[in-house]
Amino acid sequence: MDSIAYVNGSFVPLSEAKVSVLDRGFLFADGIYEVAAVLDAKLVDNASHLARLKRSVGEIALELPESLQRIEEIQKELVARNKLESGLVYLEVTRGADTGRDFPFPKGVKPTLVMFTSVKDIVNAPAAKTGIAVITVPDIRWERRDIKSVALLAQVLAKQAAAAAGAGEAWMIEDGKVTEGGSSTAFILTQADVLVTRQNGREILPGCTRKAVVKLAEERQLRVEERAFTVAEALAAKEAFITSASSFVQPVVSIDGKPVGSGKPGPMAGRLREIYVDFARATAV
Ligand code: PLP
C-alpha cells in the first residue's frame, strides 16, 4: 500500500507526490535534507536534527518555508498518518522552482518542503549482530561537508562501490585519514580503550548520533578523543563501528577485507548500541 508523503502543505500518496522539473533541488542540488529515526512511533533525537537543519539552511542562505515547530508537527502527523512504529522520516527543503534555470537565487520563489517515511526495524537490524564490512574510497566531496546538502553523488558512488564489494559502508579517506562513512560517522576503540572519532569541522557532517554517543560515553566515564585516525590505526584497534540515525551504532568487522580486532562485533559497540537505544526510547517525542 502507498504510504503518505508531504509536499508543500499537502499530504498525498507517495506515488502522487511530485515537484516541478524546475525545482532547484533537481537542477542544482540546491537543497538540504535531514533523516530522523522513529522508534515506538516517536521521533528520535529530533531536536538535534532540527538544529542541524536550521544550521545547514543558514549556511546556504535558504529560508525555511515553515517554522521548526511546524516542521516537527508535520513530521509527527506523517508518522501518525503512516502508522509508522519503527523507521525513518526523510525531509528535504530546496530553494524551490523558478520559471527557468538560472544559477543565482531566484526572487519571490517559495522553497519546496517534502517529507516521506520508510519502514525500518533499526533496533533488530541483522547487521547489529553480524557487524558490517567496510571498504575505503578516496573522499572526493566538496569542502563544506558540514552542510547536509542533497548533493550526494560522491556518496552514491562510494556506497555503490561498497555494495558491489558486498560491504555495508564505505569509509572515505582524505590526506591518509578517515573522514567519515558514506552516510555515517566512523569510530574506533583503541587498544588503550579510548574511543576515537574525527573532530567536527568542514571535513565531515556533524552527526546527531555521533553527538549523542559521545555525550553518553563521556557520562559513563569512557575516554573519548575527537581527532582524525588512519585506516592502519583502525586495523590495529580493538573495535570499530559506525553511527547514524538509520543504523544507531553498528559494529565494523573488517576494512578492505582485513579483520578489525577479533573480526567479530566487539563488546563496546554492543554496549554503546544498547545505551543509545535506551536514550533514544527515553527521549523520543
Ligand atoms: N556522515 C554523513 C556523510 C551522513 O550522511 C550521515 C547521515 O546520513 C552521518 C554522518 C550520520 O549523521 P546522523 O547521525 O545525524 O544520522
Side-chain angles (χ1 to χ4, degrees), residues 33 49 52 141 148 155 180-185 205 207-210 243-245:
Y33 76 110
H49 288 282
R52 187 172 64 188
R141 296 175 298 164
K148 200 165 168 64
Q155 282 103 312
E180 58 187 329
S183 62
S184 60
T185 305
L205 183 77
C208 294
T209 322
R210 171 199 184 283
T243 63
S244 71

Side-chain angles (χ1 to χ4, degrees), residues 2 18 25-26 44 60 99 120 138 168 185 187 191 257 260:
D2 228 1
K18 303 255 186 319
F26 178 65
V44 172
I60 66 163
T99 52
K120 186 172 184 186
T185 305
F187 280 78
Q191 295 294 340
V260 177

Side-chain angles (χ1 to χ4, degrees), residues 16 20 57 65 81 88 96 107 126 144 162 177 184 199 236 239 267:
E16 290 166 30
S20 165
V57 295
R81 282 179 184 247
L88 300 166
K107 292 196 175 65
R144 290 303 309 276
K177 306 273 172 63
S184 60
Q199 71 279 8
E239 295 185 31

Side-chain angles (χ1 to χ4, degrees), residues 172-186:
M172 296 177 285
I173 312 293
E174 186 171 63
D175 299 333
K177 306 273 172 63
V178 176
T179 53
E180 58 187 329
S183 62
S184 60
T185 305

Side-chain angles (χ1 to χ4, degrees), residues 14-284:
L14 183 60
S15 59
E16 290 166 30
K18 303 255 186 319
V19 295
S20 165
V21 295
L22 292 177
D23 193 278
R24 294 176 62 92
F26 178 65
L27 295 178
F28 302 117
D30 187 359
I32 299 294
Y33 76 110
E34 269 301 331
V35 180
V38 172
L39 264 192
D40 309 327
K42 289 184 183 166
L43 296 161
V44 172
D45 207 10
N46 201 44
S48 192
H49 288 282
L50 292 181
R52 187 172 64 188
L53 173 67
K54 186 175 172 207
R55 178 180 182 278
S56 288
V57 295
E59 290 298 309
I60 66 163
L62 168 54
E63 215 169 299
L64 287 172
E66 304 286 354
S67 67
L68 291 182
Q69 193 191 341
R70 177 68 193 134
I71 287 174
E72 186 167 271
E73 282 170 16
I74 299 166
Q75 288 174 299
K76 286 180 177 173
E77 181 161 355
L78 206 56
V79 168
R81 282 179 184 247
N82 285 300
K83 299 186 174 52
L84 184 66
E85 278 295 317
S86 179
L88 300 166
V89 180
Y90 175 88
L91 86 79
E92 177 170 337
V93 53
T94 78
R95 214 179 302 275
D98 199 3
T99 52
R101 183 180 174 274
D102 289 322
F103 283 76
F105 299 171
K107 292 196 175 65
V109 168
K110 202 173 172 207
T112 298
L113 178 60
V114 170
M115 295 188 208
F116 58 84
T117 62
S118 54
V119 176
K120 186 172 184 186
D121 188 355
I122 307 171
V123 171
N124 301 306
K129 289 208 175 67
T130 60
I132 57 162
V134 156
I135 62 157
T136 59
V137 297
D139 196 334
I140 59 169
R141 296 175 298 164
W142 74 328
E143 292 182 1
R144 290 303 309 276
R145 303 158 192 162
D146 55 315
I147 299 170
K148 200 165 168 64
S149 132
V150 294
L152 291 171
L153 188 53
Q155 282 103 312
V156 167
L157 297 176
K159 291 182 78 89
Q160 172 55 30
E169 180 59 298
W171 277 7
M172 296 177 285
I173 312 293
E174 186 171 63
D175 299 333
K177 306 273 172 63
V178 176
T179 53
E180 58 187 329
S183 62
S184 60
T185 305
F187 280 78
I188 58 170
L189 176 70
T190 69
Q191 295 294 340
D193 288 318
V194 181
L195 287 164
V196 180
T197 190
R198 195 175 178 117
Q199 71 279 8
N200 283 330
R202 292 185 170 196
E203 302 76 23
I204 64 165
L205 183 77
C208 294
T209 322
R210 171 199 184 283
K211 185 178 177 187
V213 165
V214 165
K215 182 162 179 278
L216 292 163
E218 284 176 342
E219 283 168 5
R220 282 156 186 80
Q221 311 337 311
L222 297 168
R223 275 178 61 202
V224 180
E225 265 176 37
E226 299 188 42
R227 61 166 176 84
F229 60 87
T230 62
V231 172
E233 206 177 348
L235 285 169
K238 274 189 181 169
E239 295 185 31
F241 58 92
I242 58 166
T243 63
S244 71
S246 58
S247 70
F248 295 165
V249 178
Q250 215 163 69
V252 170
V253 293
S254 70
I255 303 170
D256 291 333
K258 299 179 197 106
V260 177
S262 65
K264 296 203 180 72
M268 178 63 85
R271 186 173 161 212
L272 288 172
R273 182 176 173 85
E274 275 174 28
I275 291 168
Y276 184 81
V277 171
D278 288 348
F279 154 83
R281 283 197 202 286
T283 58

